[in-house]
Amino acid sequence: METADVVAEELLYVEAELQDIQDQIKALLDRQEGLYKRQSELKALLEECEASKSTAQVDSSVARDDWSADFEWDSRAEDIRFNVFGISSYRANQREIINAVMSRRDILVIMAAGGGKSLCYQLPALLCDGVALVVSPLLSLIQDQVMGLTTLGIPAYMLTSTTSKEHEKFIYKSLEKGEGELKVLYVTPEKISKSKRFMSKLEKCHHGGRLSLIAIDEAHCCSQWGHDFRPDYKNLGILKIQFPNVPLIALTATATYKVQLDLMEMLHIPKCVKFVSTINRPNLFYKVHEKSSVGKVVIDEIADLIRGSYSKNESGIIYCFSRKECEQVAKELRERGIAANHYHADMDVIAREKVHLLWSKNKLQVIVGTVAFGMGINKPDVRFVIHHSLSKSMETYYQESGRAGRDGLPSECVLYYRPGDVPRQSTMVFYENAGLQNLYDIVQYCQSKRNCRRGAFFQHFGEPIQNCNGMCDNCAYEAEVKELDATYHAKVIVSLLHEIQENDQRATMLQLVERFKVKIKELGDSIQPVSDLKKEELEQLIVQLLLEHVLKEEFQHTAYTTNSYIALGSLSKLVLQGKKSVMLEVCTRRHEDGMPKGAKRSRMSGLEIKLDELRKELSSSNEGMLPHAILSTQQISILSTQKPTSITHLQKMIGKVKTEKYGKRIIELIEHHLKSEQVDDDVPGAAASGSKTEGNKKQKKKHTVLIESSEEEEQ
Ligand SMILES: Nc1ncnc2c1ncn2[C@@H]1O[C@H](COP(=O)(O)OP(=O)(O)OP(=O)(O)O)[C@@H](O)[C@H]1O
Ligand SMILES: [Mg+2]
């Protein structure tokens, strides 16, 4: 009898052991699956690297052509760059690309948003005889570009659904017979694929030797692997077949290696010269801001950030998760005195365009949009992009935040993150191919309180690390992070989930946090002393455990929605067995720590504000022309420091064309400003109350010019 008991007891023990081993096998199999997946990803990545190395070798014949050498068109190009475009020096790769186009090569340009791709085909278009054809995906982009070129006195036209009959006639005649002045012609891809009439005119233009070059902007739209595939872009391959000797330049801001290969194949440019620039945007300050779970607090903080750092004429974008949220956030910002309006796909096209135009003309400070506010944004002076909610991937975040600072001036990208937003996004993306992994990559970016944000982008896009120069919160405020040992908390969470699962129950992240708190109370003094974690920190811990495969998300569909539940992940056992420790980064950083003072663009000076008003006035009197096309923010900044008072001096700063058009008004304004400054200095009582030392004199001056002084003081 006794023996039977002993045997039964051992049997129980063996069965428990077996169960344990089964669990471990399952965990290992899960882990194995994950590793296989990663293995194949890494293999593909390696192949890409090797392939790109060998292409680089093939391309070395190309590299032998030194695109930065001297060329016969150099001085003409310099003249057009400065006198027509008003650009004082080339940015990285621009000159080389222009030289390659002028050498009649096919070219693929990958250059970050705002890098200055347009100049790479617009300048050669002016250098060459004949007409340059530009294919661009969106009407709004085309309109902006044509307006900008027209302001510079360049004969640019577009052939779209909005083109008047009269213009259409002019364009066709010009293409066919070379009559009239036409230098740059913008079309949408539909024109190429659907209009036989247009193609036949283009053929005639080519036949007459007048088709100088073909540019395909936003070329990633050709590829199904890209993020913005447009079916009509697929047919653009016809261009190289019909016009084999005309140089074709394809341009895009982001293209993975796979997309690059796809583009070269689809556009029939296998021997193109490739110019790949860095993804780095050194003028952008990246920051992740802890997001309160109270909606109003978030809006208050965003409003404070905008009011505290930006004047009303400095524009920004706020990205939200849903259409409803956009409307709500815009409304609440308006209630706090900020000129904001929403933009999403549910609005009709006219309402949407109206909001976009007001914003482009600096009459609306902030657009609160969903992802629908995307590719058509051509505004170069967006000073801040705030994400009210998490993006769905690193790539989306890079693109959306990258709409800031396209003019190269310091700008800010702030992401409001709270772990509670993770399930909101995961329930939307989990069915997409690699959707969950892409989301977890950006979540990792947000959770990290030590790693350089910029470094995360380099890693994601497979580019060597470059110095951040303190242009992210983690690099700027490195020291203020402490690490907590959360191994015990993790153990409690895992055993709690065991219990929940054994009882055939489920828990959302919020429920798990609540149950954790109860459990900790129950365990009371019997446990080793652990530091108390706040609710937000517990959520942060749960998300970290998701990223570390200790936990995983499971999704359940109801008739109306999909819910995310937290379940045990493949490495949960290791935590229970004490084989895995869990450290949690906790931040002691103050909320208001933004862009470091040195990196920040100083607030607009009095003269800058006046010049900004002038460009707005000139833009209103020139229907459809955007203020930045009249004077860029950079040009305004140069003018306000140099204060030119003669046309010759002004021309050296903004070039001939703009000087001829607006020089008189600009000089008048500067002279008037200098006079009013002089008057302020000479105000009899100004120095009366204090000593006449230089310092005091300066101080007085600031007090007298009241409206402008608050801005000027910071300079
Ligand atoms: N060399 C330069 N110096 C100063 N400003 C420049 C230079 N080249 C271009 N810019 C300005 O930079 C801004 C962005 O240029 P552009 O629109 O060509 O960028 P992009 O590379 O096409 O960006 P996106 O991918 O967002 O379309 C414009 O305002 C343009 O006038
Ligand atoms: Mg562009």
Side-chain angles (χ1 to χ4, degrees):
M1 191 60 197
E2 218 176 59
T3 331
D5 279 349
V6 172
V7 172
E9 193 177 323
E10 188 177 347
L11 181 62
L12 272 179
Y13 177 76
V14 168
E15 278 173 351
E17 274 277 273
L18 278 172
Q19 183 58 47
D20 194 35
I21 288 169
Q22 285 294 341
D23 288 349
Q24 286 184 38
I25 291 173
K26 187 175 174 306
L28 284 171
L29 285 172
D30 281 353
R31 179 96 188 107
Q32 187 186 38
E33 199 183 309
L35 287 172
Y36 273 137
K37 194 171 154 262
R38 186 70 191 139
Q39 183 188 37
S40 67
E41 279 169 6
L42 290 173
K43 275 186 179 165
L45 208 65
L46 200 63
E47 269 171 34
E48 264 183 28
C49 293
E50 269 156 16
S52 72
K53 230 191 274 163
S54 61
T55 322
Q57 275 153 15
V58 174
D59 276 358
S60 63
S61 60
V62 167
R64 261 186 266 128
D65 295 320
D66 181 3
W67 302 117
S68 45
D70 294 337
F71 288 89
E72 55 177 289
W73 47 80
D74 277 351
S75 65
R76 274 193 310 132
E78 305 273 289
D79 178 48
I80 295 175
R81 169 179 55 72
F82 184 65
N83 282 317
V84 179
F85 289 96
I87 283 175
S88 45
S89 58
Y90 288 117
R91 288 199 187 137
N93 275 349
Q94 280 181 324
R95 179 164 181 264
E96 289 73 11
I97 296 169
I98 290 166
N99 287 337
V101 181
M102 291 303 294
S103 308
R104 303 193 65 75
R105 297 293 301 261
D106 295 326
I107 295 160
L108 176 59
V109 177
I110 321 257
M111 191 188 274
K117 292 183 280 296
S118 318
L119 192 77
C120 300
Y121 59 83
Q122 288 170 349
L123 201 150
L126 298 194
L127 273 177
C128 295
D129 290 333
V131 183
L133 176 75
V134 184
V135 184
S136 177
L138 291 180
L139 195 63
S140 62
L141 277 180
I142 293 180
Q143 282 167 338
D144 278 8
Q145 297 267 357
V146 171
M147 261 183 316
L149 292 175
T150 311
T151 321
L152 301 175
I154 299 166
Y157 290 84
M158 58 185 176
L159 203 52
T160 67
S161 54
T162 59
T163 310
S164 66
K165 278 273 161 273
E166 191 195 335
H167 269 171
E168 191 181 278
K169 218 166 127 194
F170 164 80
I171 292 165
Y172 280 154
K173 217 162 141 194
S174 186
L175 285 178
E176 198 169 354
K177 303 195 173 125
E179 289 172 13
E181 258 209 298
L182 171 64
K183 283 310 297 175
V184 192
L185 177 61
Y186 280 84
V187 295
T188 51
E190 293 75 33
K191 264 285 173 275
I192 311 285
S193 60
K194 300 210 173 90
S195 171
K196 286 207 175 97
R197 184 165 173 228
F198 171 69
M199 284 308 278
S200 107
K201 301 282 179 194
L202 202 59
E203 184 62 56
K204 285 185 181 144
C205 175
H206 177 233
H207 208 75
R210 294 188 306 275
L211 184 56
S212 59
L213 65 99
I214 299 172
I216 299 183
D217 206 3
E218 311 288 349
H220 59 274
C221 295
C222 289
S223 170
Q224 302 222 32
W225 308 111
H227 46 85
D228 253 319
F229 172 59
R230 305 270 150 135
D232 279 302
Y233 257 74
K234 244 173 55 180
N235 303 320
L236 296 181
I238 181 99
L239 289 168
K240 197 71 217 174
I241 296 172
Q242 292 219 179
F243 314 115
N245 303 323
V246 179
L248 187 143
I249 167 168
L251 311 104
T252 175
T254 39
T256 57
Y257 187 71
K258 197 168 167 181
V259 172
Q260 292 172 27
L261 289 181
D262 218 20
L263 291 183
M264 284 157 67
E265 197 183 320
M266 294 176 80
L267 296 172
H268 304 297
I269 48 169
K271 293 196 172 141
C272 65
V273 191
K274 244 196 323 181
F275 289 92
V276 183
S277 312
T278 173
I279 54 117
N280 191 17
R281 306 278 311 277
N283 59 319
L284 300 189
F285 182 81
Y286 294 101
K287 175 183 178 181
V288 176
H289 193 295
E290 208 173 284
K291 179 177 174 181
S292 164
S293 52
V294 184
K296 294 249 182 269
V297 175
V298 182
I299 305 285
D300 281 338
E301 285 177 357
I302 292 180
D304 284 350
L305 168 74
I306 296 174
R307 277 192 304 242
S309 304
Y310 301 98
S311 54
K312 285 189 187 329
N313 35 20
E314 292 182 298
S315 314
I317 305 174
I318 299 179
Y319 278 107
C320 288
F321 183 68
S322 69
R323 297 164 194 190
K324 221 175 109 199
E325 206 168 67
C326 280
E327 294 184 11
Q328 186 70 20
V329 170
K331 181 171 154 276
E332 294 194 29
L333 285 176
R334 280 198 299 275
E335 286 165 7
R336 286 161 178 79
I338 292 171
N341 215 331
H342 60 267
Y343 182 110
H344 56 64
D346 257 358
M347 297 158 71
D348 68 60
V349 179
I350 296 174
R352 243 172 21 192
E353 275 177 8
K354 196 174 151 203
V355 173
H356 190 179
L357 193 67
L358 282 175
W359 179 75
S360 302
K361 292 198 149 206
N362 284 0
K363 290 182 179 164
L364 177 75
Q365 190 183 12
V366 180
I367 279 201
V368 186
T370 56
V371 287
F373 191 52
M375 197 162 58
I377 310 168
N378 207 23
K379 194 167 166 44
D381 52 358
V382 177
R383 292 279 73 89
F384 56 92
V385 172
I386 296 173
H387 276 73
H388 178 268
S389 299
L390 190 62
S391 280
K392 67 173 191 171
S393 66
M394 286 294 280
E395 195 141 340
T396 331
Y397 184 61
Y398 175 77
Q399 269 153 14
E400 288 168 355
S401 60
R403 292 182 181 126
R406 289 171 66 253
D407 55 8
L409 296 174
S411 308
E412 203 172 4
C413 308
V414 186
L415 193 158
Y416 279 74
Y417 168 72
R418 69 186 183 100
D421 279 352
V422 176
R424 278 177 88 199
Q425 271 288 11
S426 63
T427 48
M428 303 294 293
V429 301
F430 75 96
Y431 62 87
E432 286 175 18
N433 196 7
L436 213 51
Q437 191 48 53
N438 289 338
L439 173 64
Y440 287 170
D441 287 347
I442 177 94
V443 172
Q444 181 85 64
Y445 169 93
C446 297
Q447 289 261 126
S448 168
K449 295 186 168 60
R450 282 183 196 277
N451 296 341
C452 171
R453 310 271 181 217
R454 196 163 252 97
F457 286 121
F458 291 131
Q459 196 182 357
H460 182 82
F461 291 106
E463 204 179 289
I465 305 269
Q466 294 174 42
N467 199 337
C468 177
N469 292 322
M471 283 296 278
C472 80
D473 53 353
N474 285 352
C475 290
Y477 307 104
E478 209 172 1
E480 299 151 46
V481 178
K482 61 178 182 192
E483 240 179 352
L484 288 183
D485 186 348
T487 311
Y488 183 78
H489 300 78
K491 231 181 215 177
V492 174
I493 289 174
V494 169
S495 55
L496 197 57
L497 270 174
H498 258 298
E499 258 174 61
I500 293 173
Q501 287 183 351
E502 262 168 20
N503 293 329
D504 274 342
Q505 291 175 334
R506 270 196 284 265
T508 61
M509 186 192 294
L510 249 169
Q511 290 162 344
L512 188 58
V513 169
E514 291 311 315
R515 291 189 63 162
F516 175 89
K517 285 195 207 150
V518 176
K519 185 80 181 175
I520 284 284
K521 264 202 194 115
E522 276 171 19
L523 291 171
D525 295 336
S526 68
I527 57 170
Q528 63 190 83
V530 279
S531 54
D532 249 359
L533 290 187
K534 287 185 276 179
K535 177 173 169 266
E536 291 75 23
E537 286 163 349
L538 277 173
E539 288 181 346
Q540 188 193 328
L541 174 62
I542 292 175
V543 171
Q544 186 176 320
L545 295 174
L546 284 175
L547 299 178
E548 291 181 11
H549 304 280
V550 173
L551 305 178
K552 65 179 179 196
E553 277 185 283
E554 279 180 354
F555 300 93
Q556 282 292 319
H557 313 279
T558 70
Y560 306 102
T561 180
T562 304
N563 294 320
S564 148
Y565 295 100
I566 307 293
L568 291 171
S570 52
L571 300 189
S572 59
K573 274 267 154 56
L574 296 184
V575 171
L576 271 190
Q577 291 162 349
K579 290 182 185 157
K580 179 173 168 55
S581 59
V582 179
M583 302 303 287
L584 188 70
E585 289 175 356
V586 178
C587 207
T588 52
R589 193 178 296 160
R590 284 178 304 126
H591 267 196
E592 60 272 23
D593 287 339
M595 221 177 193
K597 278 231 153 47
K600 215 171 195 164
R601 199 177 116 73
S602 48
R603 280 203 166 205
M604 288 171 96
S605 70
L607 185 52
E608 278 179 297
I609 293 175
K610 286 179 187 166
L611 287 164
D612 179 55
E613 289 301 325
L614 176 67
R615 68 173 172 176
K616 270 197 248 175
E617 182 206 313
L618 292 170
S619 107
S620 328
S621 51
N622 290 282
E623 176 86 46
M625 208 167 275
L626 295 173
H628 64 77
I630 289 169
L631 277 181
S632 72
T633 309
Q634 239 163 355
Q635 286 172 330
I636 285 190
S637 188
I638 294 172
L639 292 180
S640 80
T641 42
Q642 303 273 321
K643 302 189 180 72
T645 47
S646 74
I647 291 286
T648 337
H649 193 187
L650 177 67
Q651 194 166 310
K652 287 196 180 122
M653 283 163 211
I654 61 168
K656 206 164 158 185
V657 175
K658 287 193 180 183
T659 305
E660 271 168 15
K661 283 196 158 184
Y662 316 115
K664 203 163 156 277
R665 291 293 307 273
I666 297 172
I667 296 287
E668 267 171 25
L669 186 142
I670 295 176
E671 279 178 342
H672 186 265
H673 176 83
L674 290 174
K675 264 190 209 136
S676 66
E677 266 191 339
Q678 186 71 45
V679 171
D680 292 333
D681 277 353
D682 295 343
V683 170
S689 59
S691 80
K692 285 182 184 167
T693 61
E694 190 59 16
N696 270 340
K697 194 176 166 196
K698 266 194 190 139
Q699 235 178 2
K700 268 298 163 217
K701 185 175 108 189
K702 283 174 191 159
H703 284 298
T704 33
V705 191
L706 206 61
I707 308 167
E708 299 155 10
S709 64
S710 59
E711 316 284 348
E712 276 185 336
E713 265 163 5
E714 300 204 2
Q715 282 215 315

